[in-house]
Amino acid sequence: MAQKPLRLLACGDVEGKFDVLFNRVRAIQKKSGNFDLLLCVGNFFGSTPDAEWEEYKTGIKKAPIQTYVLGANNQETVKYFQDADGCELAENITYLGRKGIFTGSSGLQIVYLSGTESLNEPVPGYSFSPKDVSSLRTMLCSTSQFKGVDILLTSPWPKYVGNFGNSSGEVDTKKCGSALVSSLATGLKPRYHFAALEKTYYERLPYRNHIVLQENAQHATRFIALANVGNPEKKKYLYAFSIVPMKLMDTAELVKQPPDVTENPYRKSGKEASIGKQIPAPEEETACQFFFDLNEKQGRKRSSPGRDSKSSPHPKQPRKPPQPPGPCWFCLASPEVEKHLVVNIGTHCYLALAKGGLCDDHVLILPIGHYQSVVELSAEVVEEVEKYKATLRRFFKSRGKRCVLFERNYKSHHLQLQIAQPGAAYFYVELDTGEKLFHRIKKNFPLQFGREVLASEAILNIPDKSDWRQCQISKEEEETLACRFRKDFEPFDFTLDD
């Protein structure tokens, strides 16, 4: 019988805003069903008065879900954590301890490290030392059967985590973060690693834990940094995901590589990030290189790498998809992507506002990996494209609007399914009423045909916007539009349901 995935929530800095957090959790559970655990990283307590906490401590209020938290990151909050080995703080709220491993009844393994990095002795009560990290690594990695852990919880980001990956925004991961945490993540190979403290949301592209063609395939790691609860910028502070414990998974299923996997970010800086063990440093590879498995069904915001499915006794070998012949403006891992236009990220696809859009909510559906057209997509990617299409139809309908989808597979570098058989050129249109129009392109074809038709007097009556280059706005204006779209789209965001 297939193992049922665990449904978990992870949260960033709570900073004493317990009511805001738990009311949000209640709303999510009412909409999506109950979750098994809530894992909090960063500062659980803040500089706010204790009145709100007293209501939970005395039982007047109760957390709606079993909640596990990390310890203090500053002297001010050390007083809340009396037992270094962990203890119950209030009903349904448990302090895990300074460091260790929590194994649930399901077999799920969660490694935790409380506090911030300190290289000085004696170590403050709100910090961890190189010895702490070394002891954790030794305790867990000493056996030859060790494959990794399910989840790693730390408050600081790991240093260098942005190497080879998508942009980490304003956080410079070469300067910020902890090299000790990088070392721990390198040794433990968690499937998920959560951190906070930087007051921003960053979901790094998954990275591999093996050297291609030199080591046996291993599972990928997903690093997710979460913002602070109730932040005014509406940055994501709560993350929902599903996971089957590693111990219960078939090896072939566990090591399947997601299509957007990148090189391990810590290998480049092995000397700085390792303790007592030199990490081999392969040649740097470009951020837009991927290894893609046709059967890939792994992980999400995004769903879990532990999603259960029947494994073939002879799994297909990963194949490398066609690579862009030059810089690609749409591969999510590419440095050319204007990340501020990205408004939603799924497992296989993402949404981004169009550059020089016909209207404020002119949005593109794009695959995360590099594909030229819909007919080249795997079944999993097609399924998510359809999910995005259906969701966007509901979104626009709720706002009293209609939408048209079109795709041009003609002199296209990267698939762009626009809302406002491999090798064959075509033009495809899908109306929100269900009609589908398909035209096989044989010779020359206007590259902006779809846009020009929509901008014509007969439809939108904005002929001056037929050329996207004439509609470009400043980056600040684009960021404003993207922020507004994210906020408006959030009630329809199906990625929160998984």
Side-chain angles (χ1 to χ4, degrees):
M1 184 175 179
Q3 173 67 29
K4 184 179 178 181
L6 296 168
R7 305 180 72 229
L8 308 184
L9 291 168
C11 177
D13 303 275
V14 180
E15 297 181 333
K17 296 180 180 177
F18 310 112
D19 286 347
V20 174
L21 169 62
F22 293 132
N23 287 340
R24 175 65 174 150
V25 170
R26 288 187 185 92
I28 290 175
Q29 295 201 125
K30 184 177 181 181
K31 175 184 176 183
S32 305
N34 289 337
F35 284 76
D36 297 288
L37 296 175
L38 169 62
L39 308 172
C40 296
V41 293
N43 295 311
F44 189 67
F45 295 98
S47 57
T48 54
D50 286 344
E52 193 172 306
W53 172 242
E54 283 298 318
E55 292 183 309
Y56 288 90
K57 187 177 179 181
T58 58
I60 296 174
K61 292 181 179 178
K62 176 183 173 182
I65 184 174
Q66 185 60 54
T67 303
Y68 292 94
V69 310
L70 294 183
N73 296 296
N74 52 60
Q75 185 61 51
E76 184 181 5
T77 56
V78 169
K79 61 183 180 181
Y80 294 103
F81 305 97
Q82 299 297 320
D83 189 342
D85 295 326
C87 58
E88 185 177 88
L89 302 178
E91 187 174 1
N92 272 1
I93 303 176
T94 302
Y95 164 46
L96 286 166
R98 288 193 67 244
K99 68 178 188 294
I101 181 167
F102 171 84
T103 303
S105 58
S106 63
L108 185 77
Q109 287 192 318
I110 303 173
V111 175
Y112 53 90
L113 180 65
S114 292
T116 56
E117 177 181 310
S118 175
L119 302 179
N120 301 317
E121 294 287 349
V123 178
Y126 53 87
S127 296
F128 56 84
S129 68
K131 289 182 181 178
D132 291 322
V133 172
S134 181
S135 65
L136 266 178
R137 287 183 55 148
T138 301
M139 177 175 64
L140 292 163
C141 308
S142 56
T143 65
S144 58
Q145 291 79 27
F146 178 77
K147 296 180 180 179
V149 299
D150 292 304
I151 299 171
L152 173 61
L153 303 178
T154 65
S155 287
W157 290 29
K159 201 170 186 180
Y160 316 116
V161 70
N163 289 349
F164 305 114
N166 47 317
S167 171
S168 53
E170 297 178 358
V171 179
D172 184 348
T173 60
K174 289 182 174 62
K175 297 178 180 179
C176 297
S178 164
L180 291 179
V181 172
S182 303
S183 168
L184 187 62
T186 301
L188 298 189
K189 295 177 283 192
R191 293 161 66 196
Y192 282 89
H193 180 183
F194 294 97
L197 295 184
E198 300 295 341
K199 298 188 182 301
T200 192
Y201 168 68
Y202 171 51
E203 182 165 1
R204 191 202 185 279
L205 291 172
Y207 64 83
R208 60 178 79 93
N209 285 293
H210 63 279
I211 302 176
V212 177
L213 301 181
Q214 296 183 39
E215 299 175 334
N216 292 332
Q218 299 180 47
H219 59 271
T221 293
R222 287 168 167 78
F223 172 76
I224 299 103
L226 294 162
N228 48 312
V229 170
N231 64 87
E233 298 84 7
K234 305 295 183 183
K235 294 177 181 178
K236 188 167 185 173
Y237 64 82
L238 204 56
Y239 183 100
F241 66 112
S242 302
I243 187 169
V244 171
M246 181 187 297
K247 291 183 176 181
L248 302 179
M249 291 185 68
D250 178 81
T251 300
E253 183 71 18
L254 176 65
V255 303
K256 286 181 179 180
Q257 301 295 292
D260 50 351
V261 70
T262 77
E263 181 55 87
N264 189 308
Y266 312 123
R267 292 190 187 276
K268 180 180 178 183
S269 302
K271 290 183 180 179
E272 299 93 325
S274 65
I275 300 174
K277 179 180 179 182
Q278 180 62 45
I279 303 171
E283 294 182 5
E284 181 171 339
E285 79 180 87
T286 57
C288 57
Q289 287 183 310
F290 307 105
F291 287 84
F292 177 61
D293 188 317
L294 286 171
N295 287 332
E296 196 277 336
K297 214 174 173 182
Q298 180 157 349
R300 221 184 148 53
K301 194 177 244 165
R302 239 58 127 197
S303 312
S304 105
R307 277 206 193 267
D308 214 15
S309 64
K310 294 183 179 178
S311 301
S312 166
H314 304 290
K316 295 181 180 179
Q317 293 300 310
R319 68 174 178 88
K320 195 173 181 181
Q323 297 298 303
C328 179
W329 296 97
F330 301 105
C331 286
L332 190 56
S334 171
E336 283 79 19
V337 172
E338 297 194 54
K339 301 295 194 300
H340 65 282
L341 292 174
V342 176
V343 292
N344 191 269
I345 304 177
T347 303
H348 308 287
C349 307
Y350 71 99
L351 297 183
L353 291 186
K355 189 80 172 175
L358 280 167
C359 50
D360 289 349
D361 45 17
H362 182 171
V363 66
L364 313 178
I365 302 176
L366 304 117
I368 291 173
H370 186 81
Y371 302 95
Q372 186 178 4
S373 66
V374 165
V375 293
E376 291 186 343
L377 300 180
S378 68
E380 290 83 1
V381 186
V382 170
E383 181 181 355
E384 190 164 277
V385 167
E386 292 300 321
K387 205 166 186 178
Y388 266 122
K389 285 158 62 174
T391 302
L392 285 165
R393 289 191 193 99
R394 292 197 301 272
F395 168 68
F396 284 115
K397 186 176 181 180
S398 73
R399 305 177 70 82
K401 297 182 179 181
R402 300 188 62 186
C403 62
V404 176
L405 301 90
F406 68 90
E407 179 202 359
R408 181 198 74 232
N409 180 34
Y410 177 67
K411 296 185 179 180
S412 292
H413 192 38
H414 185 113
L415 164 62
Q416 308 156 48
L417 187 55
Q418 308 205 31
I419 315 287
Q421 47 239 73
Y426 62 82
F427 185 81
Y428 172 81
V429 178
E430 186 173 327
L431 305 180
D432 57 6
T433 53
E435 291 93 339
K436 299 178 181 180
L437 310 173
F438 181 88
H439 174 66
R440 177 72 179 273
I441 299 172
K442 296 182 179 180
K443 287 188 177 182
N444 293 332
F445 187 81
L447 294 183
Q448 298 296 328
F449 177 76
R451 184 183 180 105
E452 290 170 358
V453 170
L454 288 174
S456 67
E457 295 180 2
I459 301 181
L460 294 178
N461 193 24
I462 46 174
D464 56 322
K465 290 191 174 184
S466 59
D467 186 345
W468 70 273
R469 288 166 295 192
Q470 303 301 316
C471 301
Q472 293 190 72
I473 56 179
S474 69
K475 183 178 179 180
E476 290 73 20
E477 291 173 302
E478 289 176 336
E479 289 175 337
T480 298
L481 290 179
C483 183
R484 184 187 307 159
F485 188 95
R486 290 188 201 103
K487 182 179 180 181
D488 292 342
F489 186 71
E490 184 177 6
F492 299 84
D493 186 358
F494 63 85
T495 66
L496 297 175
D497 298 336
D498 294 326

